[in-house]
Amino acid sequence: MDIRALRYFVELVKCQSFTRAADALFVTQPTISKMVKQLEEELDMPLILREGRSFRLTDAGRVTYERGLDVLSAMNQLKHELADLASLSHGELVVGLPPMVGVAFFAPVVSRYRRRYPQIELKMVEDGALAIENRIKSGELEIGVAVLPVDSQLFDHYSVVRDPLCLVAPAGSRWRDKSLVRLVDIADQPLVLYPDDFTLSRRVGDAFRELGKTPNIVGRSAHWDFIVELVAANLGVTLLPRSIVERLDRQLFDVVPLYDNKLYWHLALIWQRGGYLSHAARAWLALTRETLGGQD
């Protein structure tokens, strides 16, 4: 089977568009069509049914897509293992990091890694923790940071930090002299939060629902510095991990620990359980342990 044809077909299904797939693969639309037809002829079955400018998968197409993901993941792992033969003298490592995590924790790890392994091309991919989980599961990423818990049958992990959340409000707020605040106390307050596909955002939403409340979300951002700018502008209040809060100017904000044993920010490096970890990824894991501590 032509792996390239399989890759083009999988990209087409992911993009749900010949135009977007062609752009993603830096080829023309006729090339995509030709490769899909070639794959159909090789398998002797139709994979897609064209409907105007759109298409839908046949039963064979659905099976080919699912198994194609497995084949491409295995090919990526093969490339990693073969490149690993040269150890750390060359190669690349792509690490998935949620936006709030990089500045808070991993800048020193990145710096030490580049100094110690200058021949390794280190790339950071910013995405939400759930997206990073999915990209590691599919083999697109080898290692990245997620919010625990994750599925222990799918992932191994190394815990980096477990942080409680804190309420952050504009200076002079009614919580100024409070030692603790409960989630129910801010249930009716305008809230600036992270994107709704972030793990922590979903857990905050679940906690509100357990109280029978709907959070009054007035703004969202993946970047904590913009979130606190919105709070400073009196748009609302927010909930941030303690490690982030420690970076704030306390003259501009009132910060109160949140009293909730279920809501916390538990970060860990994760990778496929039982999967191959390249020397570059193992070196990243070792430097994380060395720089940040944490525990398995």
Side-chain angles (χ1 to χ4, degrees), residues 76-95 113 117 120-123 136 139-144 269-272 274-287 289:
N76 284 334
Q77 182 159 321
L78 174 61
K79 289 179 181 178
H80 279 305
E81 293 179 21
L82 293 177
D84 223 25
L85 295 176
S87 190
L88 294 174
S89 60
H90 71 278
E92 74 170 25
L93 175 65
V94 184
V95 180
Y113 194 93
Y117 308 109
I120 301 296
E121 185 179 0
L122 181 62
K123 298 179 181 177
I136 292 174
E140 186 179 348
L141 285 177
E142 186 177 5
I143 194 167
L269 279 174
I270 67 168
W271 58 95
Q272 282 191 16
Y276 174 80
L277 269 187
S278 67
H279 286 304
R282 280 177 250 162
W284 174 267
L285 181 57
L287 263 182
R289 287 190 173 106

Side-chain angles (χ1 to χ4, degrees), residues 56-69:
R56 58 187 174 89
L57 292 176
T58 63
D59 291 341
R62 283 190 288 272
V63 172
T64 302
Y65 174 69
E66 292 297 332
R67 294 296 171 261
L69 290 173

Side-chain angles (χ1 to χ4, degrees), residues 118-130:
Q119 303 304 317
I120 301 296
E121 185 179 0
L122 181 62
K123 298 179 181 177
M124 303 290 111
V125 173
E126 278 198 335
D127 214 333
L130 285 174

